[in-house]
Amino acid sequence: MSGIAAGMRMFNWPNYTKYIVNMYKCRFIPKPDSACKYIQNNNGPDGVAIFYKKSKFQSLGEDHKVLEAWGAATNQVALAVTRLGKASGREVVVVTTHLKARRGALLTNIREQQGGDLVTWVEGVREGRPVILTGDFNAEPTEPVLETLTSNVKTPLQSSYSISDLEYTTWKIRDSGEEKHVLDYVFHSPDLETRQTLSMPDTREVIADKFPSLRYASDHLSLVTDIAI
């Protein structure tokens, strides 16, 4: 997949935004009951989104679902888009999601249930095509949902990053103390190849306030990977 990343000291924001809009298309799916909607003067619900470069890919379709746990709908969603690489002529399905947050045995079980529902759905959507699955899974590598995602026989997935080498993808200060976790992942089917990944910042580059900060706009860091399709 192709993308751009740039660091700029000064730029014209309206022109930069127009450039991004012209270069990329976006699909967004909101949560069924987003907490953002209950904030005064909000900008709308949160959810999940996929951007793709219009010059590189042709849209072949999309699908989405509300993830389930024990057969009941949850407040988390998944989005899948099928795209044709214009240069390669190869089709690929890209999926993103954001699983249930927070710690605890019940919430861990909910994420495992959501992961099982997710891989079953992805198997039907991809119809044998290569697949890339990304997201904030809110789960450490030792949680059962990671085994659920990577051990499925019909849709085997492997991580772009060496998970054992990742020290963190989020690092924040909460009322309960400092939290440093690996919660975000990029998976793909074995018929795709990860060429390279962007490393997390060295811990010496992270300021005392952790994330978010003036230097890092989100409480989670972006995972960036080049995958050959």
Side-chain angles (χ1 to χ4, degrees):
M1 299 186 72
S2 299
I4 58 170
M8 307 180 204
R9 293 185 181 275
M10 296 179 63
F11 60 92
N12 184 300
W13 182 252
N15 287 343
Y16 181 68
T17 303
K18 184 178 180 180
Y19 168 78
I20 293 297
V21 170
N22 288 337
M23 289 285 289
Y24 291 86
K25 294 193 72 173
C26 170
R27 291 299 301 129
F28 169 76
I29 298 298
K31 290 179 180 178
D33 187 28
S34 169
C36 298
K37 296 188 296 183
Y38 301 99
I39 299 174
Q40 188 175 8
N41 301 321
N42 68 80
N43 293 323
D46 68 318
V48 298
I50 295 174
F51 291 79
Y52 69 96
K53 189 176 284 188
K54 295 184 286 187
S55 62
K56 298 282 187 179
F57 295 95
Q58 175 185 338
S59 174
L60 296 180
E62 62 187 62
D63 201 353
H64 66 274
K65 85 178 306 285
V66 175
L67 295 176
E68 297 181 359
W70 298 288
T74 66
N75 196 35
Q76 282 67 48
V77 293
L79 169 65
V81 298
T82 303
R83 298 295 180 258
L84 173 68
K86 293 181 179 180
S88 67
R90 195 178 188 192
E91 297 178 11
V92 63
V93 177
V94 182
V95 184
T96 191
T97 191
H98 188 171
L99 300 188
K100 183 67 176 175
R102 300 193 184 281
R103 310 273 73 80
L106 174 60
L107 298 170
T108 296
N109 289 339
I110 290 175
R111 283 190 288 274
E112 185 179 8
Q113 288 283 316
Q114 289 178 329
D117 187 38
L118 177 65
V119 293
T120 299
W121 176 70
V122 168
E123 173 60 25
V125 169
R126 79 183 189 103
E127 296 180 339
R129 302 180 184 92
V131 62
I132 299 170
L133 170 62
T134 75
D136 175 0
F137 293 86
N138 275 309
E140 293 277 14
T142 54
E143 275 203 23
V145 65
L146 270 296
E147 178 73 16
T148 298
L149 293 171
T150 57
S151 64
N152 184 277
V153 176
K154 293 183 178 180
T155 307
L157 295 172
Q158 57 195 47
S159 175
S160 280
Y161 281 76
S162 174
I163 295 178
S164 61
D165 293 336
L166 277 176
E167 187 176 353
Y168 61 91
T169 64
T170 179
W171 191 359
K172 65 192 80 174
I173 305 295
R174 293 188 181 274
D175 293 340
S176 56
E178 186 173 312
E179 296 189 5
K180 187 179 183 183
H181 302 290
V182 174
L183 303 179
D184 309 274
Y185 305 89
V186 178
F187 300 108
H188 61 76
S189 50
D191 46 358
L192 300 177
E193 178 189 359
T194 293
R195 295 286 177 83
Q196 59 182 342
T197 58
L198 181 67
S199 300
M200 296 295 103
D202 187 282
T203 55
R204 292 169 294 185
E205 300 176 39
V206 181
I207 64 174
D209 292 336
K210 311 310 177 191
F211 312 132
S213 66
L214 291 176
R215 186 171 184 179
Y216 300 99
S218 173
D219 62 334
H220 288 246
L221 294 172
S222 294
L223 274 61
V224 181
T225 176
D226 287 342
I227 298 175
I229 298 176

